[in-house]
Amino acid sequence: QVQVVESGGGLVQPGGSLRLSCVISGLAFGNYPMGWFRQAPGKEREYVARIGTNNGRTYYTNSVKGRFTVSRENAKNTVYLQMSSLKPEDTAAYYCATGRPSTILSQFRSESVYDYWGHGTQVTVSS
């Protein structure tokens, strides 16, 4: 049984930082790319970032480039999302999900190519 568990969310002031963690169990973690998504109140869930497998190549949506960094630690079955220079518009529930190795670049944003999802962790950016 695959389990995906996010943690690290909380309340932070604008300009602050947070690091989210996501631990995956029940599959060979190192073989899977991983994605981060977020969902703000009243909005659809949106793609945030993705990290590949062996080379750990990373991809970001434009609104977080230069502020967020996705990384992974295969020995710990964990993927991270380091968030800096946070803005109120970053407020959302953040989710990680397991991707498929064969996914092409144009499909990265689609939830349909991610299979196992966590329950999310809430990030609130407010003064």
Side-chain angles (χ1 to χ4, degrees):
Q1 181 180 355
V2 178
Q3 289 189 317
V4 180
V5 181
E6 304 96 336
S7 62
L11 174 63
V12 62
Q13 291 187 342
S17 299
L18 276 178
R19 188 177 80 157
L20 306 183
S21 300
C22 176
V23 179
I24 295 87
S25 60
L27 52 68
F29 174 73
N31 292 341
Y32 293 83
M34 296 295 301
W36 282 98
F37 288 73
R38 66 186 180 186
Q39 186 169 21
K43 295 187 177 182
E44 292 187 353
R45 190 156 55 185
E46 64 172 357
Y47 163 84
V48 174
R50 178 182 170 102
I51 185 165
T53 54
N54 294 329
N55 61 14
R57 191 166 181 176
T58 57
Y59 307 85
Y60 302 92
T61 195
N62 285 340
S63 63
V64 308
K65 282 182 181 177
R67 300 189 299 121
F68 289 12
T69 302
V70 59
S71 61
R72 65 191 297 157
E73 193 169 358
N74 287 345
K76 294 185 176 182
N77 284 13
T78 302
V79 60
Y80 304 99
L81 186 67
Q82 177 69 48
M83 305 184 295
S84 303
S85 301
L86 283 161
K87 305 175 182 180
E89 50 263 43
D90 295 317
T91 294
Y94 283 72
Y95 301 85
C96 73
T98 62
R100 300 172 191 170
S102 59
T103 302
I104 60 175
L105 181 60
S106 62
Q107 296 174 317
F108 282 2
R109 294 176 172 271
S110 173
E111 294 185 37
S112 66
V113 299
Y114 296 85
D115 295 314
Y116 298 101
W117 294 77
H119 293 294
T121 185
Q122 179 66 37
V123 172
T124 302
V125 184
S126 175
S127 55

